[in-house]
Structure formats: structure tokens, C-alpha cells
Amino acid sequence: MTSNLSEAPAAVKLGAAGAQVIRIASATAPTLGLNVLTVLHALADKGITRLMVEGGGRVASSFVAADLVDEVWLLRGREAVGADGVAALDALPLSVLTESPGFKLRASEDLDKDTLTIYERA
């Protein structure tokens, strides 16, 4: 998925490598980026009805804010990254998932120095 404003040469290069590049209109301020519902409609038009989203904090928060999340796999280290770290959900606190009545804890497992916690829609 990319904006209709993205660089055409990059899309051509990705297409040549076998990727299908789908262009959609970019959202307007204050949202900017791609509208999640527009992305999902474009994917549905291609027959895609299930999606695993592994994006950065802004992508993840846009799906959470739009109430489009059924399951979350949260992998966390024991130590904080620090002030220069990237927030998992951009401007949203993790508590919108971890303390939400809309999600329940399904499983948690230590993986060496990290912890995998799985939440599902309640």
C-alpha cells in the first residue's frame, strides 16, 4: 500500500521484484498518511479479508484507534529503551490494550530476556 503521492520509480522497482503495489489517496490533515478504512477496502477489493499488521507505532495506533484489532502480540524487553525509543502505539499509551476492558489476556511467555504477551478482543 502506498499513497498516490509516492515516488513512481520506487513502485516500479517493487513491482519488478514481484510485489503488487496498490496506490490509494492519502489522508488529509490532521491525520496524514493512509486512511486505514481506505486501505482495508482496497485489500477487500483484491479478495483479502484477513490481515496481519506488523507496522510501526503510527500504523499500529491507527488500527487500534479505529477499533480494528482482534488480537495483539506484544513483545517487550525487560529494560526501557530510553528517551530516544519509539513508542509502540505512537501517541496512544499501551494501556489502551493492556488495561482495556475490550481486550483480555490470552497468554504470556518469557522468551529469554523478553516477554511475549497475547491479548484478544473480549
Side-chain angles (χ1 to χ4, degrees):
M1 282 298 161
T2 187
S3 161
N4 56 353
L5 304 175
S6 66
E7 298 285 329
V12 169
K13 188 174 181 178
L14 287 168
Q20 182 179 4
V21 178
I22 301 171
R23 292 176 172 274
I24 61 172
S26 57
T28 56
T31 309
L32 300 178
L34 301 178
N35 179 290
V36 176
L37 293 176
T38 305
V39 167
L40 294 178
H41 285 291
L43 291 172
D45 289 344
K46 300 283 185 185
I48 298 170
T49 59
R50 299 188 191 289
L51 188 65
M52 182 186 100
V53 177
E54 184 182 5
R58 195 168 75 177
V59 170
S61 68
S62 65
F63 277 84
V64 170
D67 197 27
L68 295 169
V69 176
D70 293 323
E71 184 176 271
V72 175
W73 288 45
L74 183 61
L75 185 63
R76 292 190 274 190
R78 289 192 172 94
E79 297 180 26
V81 175
D84 295 335
V86 177
L89 292 176
D90 198 30
L92 295 176
L94 272 179
S95 61
V96 300
L97 299 172
T98 61
E99 298 173 18
S100 168
F103 289 92
K104 65 180 179 180
L105 177 67
R106 186 174 82 207
S108 184
E109 180 179 346
D110 287 333
L111 305 171
D112 195 23
K113 295 182 179 181
D114 299 324
T115 301
L116 172 64
T117 310
I118 302 171
Y119 297 90
E120 63 185 9
R121 186 174 292 282

